[in-house]
DNA sequence: ATGCCAGCTACAAGCTGA
């Protein structure tokens, strides 16, 4: 079973690239982020024609998350991260697919730091850590996949010294990520590539992709019961080098269930 | 230190992203 995450940076502009990638790689489950589209603007018919059922949570202009499943419709178990009824940003959606609980997330960027946006990111992380703990305690086979907007370690950024004050790399954020790992979650991509320089995002500026000036910020965390089943974890890096790409590349894992 | 690019909204230029 292949499970992928892909920050599309606008489903409206990225639909052709998404459909091409789906056709080529046929993942079983896909978490999408940054739809940047109203609920009614999601291209449900085109996704269905590609062979995928979908659930999604749209929002005008910003954010927006979806879960696709090949040959079936994901069984939704939640939308919106629990813990704050005032939070109306579309950043979390959850579903069951083939007995696996899939959480798709788009964590707040948090820049500039310090400031209200960084505070929101830290609050969101607190709620996410609580929810992740509940999932661990439930014993569910679970995958938390998405754009975490967290650079976990110095190995995950091309020039760490330039990012020390950035909201993606601040100590509070890295500590929060480590807290998730301490709960028992496994960073699938890093576990399969312990020493490799491996990125999932390259910004559009200064030929960042050509220079390989990237970040590793898109992650798939898998629950302890799934770690023995993890067969592969990779970045579809070439997708970032195509025409009209997202600034993120798709990331995926293969589970042998 | 700043803008560099790109998408969205709305139709100009501003906001946001990471």
């Amino acid at each position: 079973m292949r499970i992928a995450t892909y920050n599309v940076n606008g489903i409206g502009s990225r639909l052709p690239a998404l459909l091409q990638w789906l056709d080529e790689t046929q993942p079983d489950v896909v978490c999408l982020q940054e739809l940047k589209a109203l609920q009614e603007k999601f291209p449900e018919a085109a996704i269905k024609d590609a062979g995928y059922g979908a659930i999604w949570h749209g929002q005008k202009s910003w954010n927006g998350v979806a879960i696709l499943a090949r040959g079936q419709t994901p069984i939704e178990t939640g939308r919106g991260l629990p813990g704050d009824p005032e939070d109306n940003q579309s950043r979390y959606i959850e579903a069951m697919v083939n007995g696996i609980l899939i959480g798709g997330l788009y964590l707040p960027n948090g820049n500039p730091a310090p400031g209200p946006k960084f505070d929101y990111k830290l609050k969101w992380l607190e709620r996410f850590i609580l929810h992740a703990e509940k999932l661990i305690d439930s014993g569910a086979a679970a995958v938390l996949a998405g754009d975490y907007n967290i650079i976990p370690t110095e190995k995950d950024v091309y020039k760490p010294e330039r990012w020390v004050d950035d909201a993606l790399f601040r100590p509070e954020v890295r500590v929060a990520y480590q807290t998730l790992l301490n709960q028992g979650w496994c960073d699938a991509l890093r576990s399969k590539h312990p020493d490799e320089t491996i990125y999932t995002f390259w910004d559009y500026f200064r030929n960042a992709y050509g220079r390989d000036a990237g970040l590793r910020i898109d992650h798939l965390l898998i629950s302890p019961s799934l770690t023995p089943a993890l067969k592969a974890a990779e970045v579809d890096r070439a997708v970032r080098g195509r025409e009209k790409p997202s600034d993120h590349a798709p990331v995926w894992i293969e589970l042998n269930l």
Side-chain angles (χ1 to χ4, degrees):
Chain A
M1 182 178 185
R2 183 179 292 208
I3 302 170
T5 179
Y6 185 18
N7 179 324
V8 291
N9 188 18
I11 190 70
S13 295
R14 210 67 59 224
L15 186 59
L18 172 64
L19 294 175
Q20 181 187 352
W21 171 74
L22 286 176
D23 183 55
E24 289 167 351
T25 66
Q26 299 279 306
D28 298 288
V29 181
V30 183
C31 297
L32 300 178
Q33 302 89 37
E34 280 208 86
L35 302 178
K36 292 185 170 179
L38 286 164
Q39 186 71 9
E40 59 268 29
K41 293 287 189 185
F42 185 83
E44 184 179 16
I47 300 277
K48 187 180 180 186
D49 287 346
Y52 288 83
I55 60 169
W56 65 96
H57 193 191
Q59 180 184 328
K60 186 178 178 181
S61 301
W62 312 119
N63 310 319
V65 285
I67 299 175
L68 320 185
R70 191 155 61 89
Q72 57 187 304
T73 301
I75 300 160
E76 185 169 327
T77 57
R79 64 174 59 200
L81 186 65
D84 183 3
E86 308 279 294
D87 182 6
N88 50 20
Q89 298 191 24
S90 298
R91 294 184 176 276
Y92 187 77
I93 191 164
E94 192 180 276
M96 292 292 295
V97 182
N98 295 345
I100 310 263
L101 188 140
I102 309 287
L105 63 133
Y106 175 49
L107 223 134
N109 172 306
N111 277 307
K117 292 189 174 181
F118 191 60
D119 294 341
Y120 173 65
K121 180 176 196 170
L122 294 181
K123 289 283 185 194
W124 207 95
L125 269 166
E126 280 180 27
R127 290 159 58 204
F128 185 63
I129 285 167
L130 285 174
H131 188 59
E133 180 66 37
K134 278 187 188 167
L135 293 179
I136 289 280
D137 292 345
S138 78
V143 178
L144 294 172
D147 177 357
Y148 281 68
N149 272 317
I150 296 175
I151 301 165
T153 73
E154 296 195 342
K155 282 199 300 200
D156 300 310
V157 49
Y158 64 102
K159 281 202 173 166
E161 66 275 14
R162 291 195 184 173
W163 290 80
V164 286
D165 292 324
D166 192 277
L168 278 64
F169 197 49
R170 296 257 303 200
E172 305 95 313
V173 170
R174 281 188 270 167
V175 165
Y177 193 79
Q178 188 59 49
T179 299
L180 292 165
L181 301 185
N182 293 345
Q183 287 176 345
W185 297 95
C186 169
D187 180 335
L189 188 61
R190 184 49 82 201
S191 79
K192 284 294 174 191
H193 303 274
D195 302 312
E196 199 173 318
T197 297
I198 184 163
Y199 300 137
T200 67
F201 166 91
W202 299 260
D203 85 26
Y204 291 120
F205 306 157
R206 311 177 198 87
N207 188 32
Y209 181 69
R211 297 184 296 119
D212 198 25
L215 313 174
R216 190 174 75 92
I217 55 175
D218 301 272
H219 309 301
L220 295 110
L221 299 190
I222 64 176
S223 63
S225 61
L226 286 177
T227 52
L230 180 63
K231 294 305 169 201
E234 299 292 341
V235 180
D236 282 339
R237 172 193 168 101
V239 173
R240 176 62 181 83
R242 292 178 178 170
E243 287 296 305
K244 267 181 77 75
S246 167
D247 36 9
H248 297 251
V251 187
W252 55 267
I253 59 172
E254 185 75 39
L255 299 173
N256 200 348
L257 299 168

